[in-house]
Amino acid sequence: MPDSVYRLQNKRVLVTGSDQGIGQAIALRLAKEGCDLVINFRSNEEGALDTVKQAESFGRRAIAVKADIGQHTELEQLMEESFQALGSLDFLVNNAGIEKNADFVNVKEQDYQSVVAVNMTGPFFLAQLFAQRLKDRKQSGKIVNISSVHVALPLPHFAPYCNAKAGLKMM
């Protein structure tokens, strides 16, 4: 394989929502590129452990850390466990996301708040924690926010999701 394939060799990455779907695919590609990983999950521990196992099959270190990105109180613990496990982090990939299907006029405030918390507010404050840790260590790093095509192409019945992902894109 060309050397460029290994340009991420030994980088340490936290990928939120990496127990399934797009997040899992991102994490596994990063492992294939040579990254050590923190696999974040909210409730799908089986999926997270599967992602860890697959990442390890590429010869990488990987751990699973349970944390709900929508719960501000869990963000500091996620960051702490990530830094302890890998020694530091080079990248944060804000991928976790949730949707609630409802007509615009039927969206409940609690559902709106939970979607915004996971898709926009949590990633904002997790990025802030990450940036502050790197600043304190005089270390550089990168933050990648995974948004959605539905920022520009509204998805019927998912207004809170579209709003939150648009906010994340602006961040």
Side-chain angles (χ1 to χ4, degrees), residues 98-104 107 148-163 165:
I98 63 168
E99 303 170 330
K100 301 280 183 172
N101 184 344
D103 292 332
F104 177 77
V107 173
S148 171
V149 67
H150 297 296
V151 166
L153 182 65
L155 182 64
H157 310 290
F158 292 94
Y161 175 82
C162 296
N163 287 348
K165 286 298 188 175

Side-chain angles (χ1 to χ4, degrees), residues 6 18 21 27 33 42 46 48 54 61 66-68 78 95 98 108 112 115 136-137 144 153 155-156 160 165 170:
Y6 297 104
S18 48
E33 293 283 338
R42 182 183 61 164
E46 184 178 330
Q54 289 185 65
R61 290 185 301 158
K66 181 178 182 173
D68 182 344
L78 172 59
N95 167 75
I98 63 168
K108 295 181 174 84
Y112 180 89
V115 168
D136 292 346
R137 293 169 169 244
V144 177
L153 182 65
L155 182 64
K165 286 298 188 175
M170 290 304 295

Side-chain angles (χ1 to χ4, degrees), residues 5-148:
V5 173
Y6 297 104
R7 67 188 177 279
L8 297 176
Q9 189 72 32
N10 299 319
K11 296 297 184 184
R12 297 151 298 185
V13 186
L14 163 58
V15 182
T16 66
S18 48
D19 55 316
Q20 61 186 353
I22 293 169
Q24 184 180 53
I26 290 168
L28 294 176
R29 179 58 194 217
L30 289 168
K32 189 174 183 179
E33 293 283 338
C35 295
D36 294 328
L37 300 169
V38 175
I39 305 303
N40 162 249
F41 70 100
R42 182 183 61 164
S43 59
N44 183 11
E45 184 174 15
E46 184 178 330
L49 294 176
D50 178 56
T51 308
V52 166
K53 183 178 178 182
Q54 289 185 65
E56 290 173 342
S57 76
F58 293 113
R60 306 314 313 161
R61 290 185 301 158
I63 65 158
V65 178
K66 181 178 182 173
D68 182 344
I69 301 306
Q71 298 297 317
H72 189 81
T73 57
E74 296 186 28
L75 300 178
E76 178 65 43
Q77 186 62 35
L78 172 59
M79 196 58 60
E80 181 64 29
E81 288 185 41
S82 298
F83 271 76
Q84 281 183 3
L86 299 182
S88 188
L89 290 174
D90 299 293
F91 298 102
L92 166 63
V93 179
N94 277 318
N95 167 75
I98 63 168
E99 303 170 330
K100 301 280 183 172
N101 184 344
D103 292 332
F104 177 77
V105 296
N106 294 319
V107 173
K108 295 181 174 84
E109 182 178 358
Q110 181 179 358
D111 289 342
Y112 180 89
Q113 296 294 349
S114 67
V115 168
V116 169
V118 171
N119 293 306
M120 186 175 62
T121 307
F124 179 91
F125 287 106
L126 191 60
Q128 186 182 66
L129 288 168
F130 175 71
Q132 187 61 54
R133 283 198 182 236
L134 294 185
K135 182 180 173 189
D136 292 346
R137 293 169 169 244
K138 297 178 176 31
Q139 179 184 338
S140 64
K142 304 277 190 251
I143 300 170
V144 177
N145 294 318
I146 305 299
S147 189
S148 171

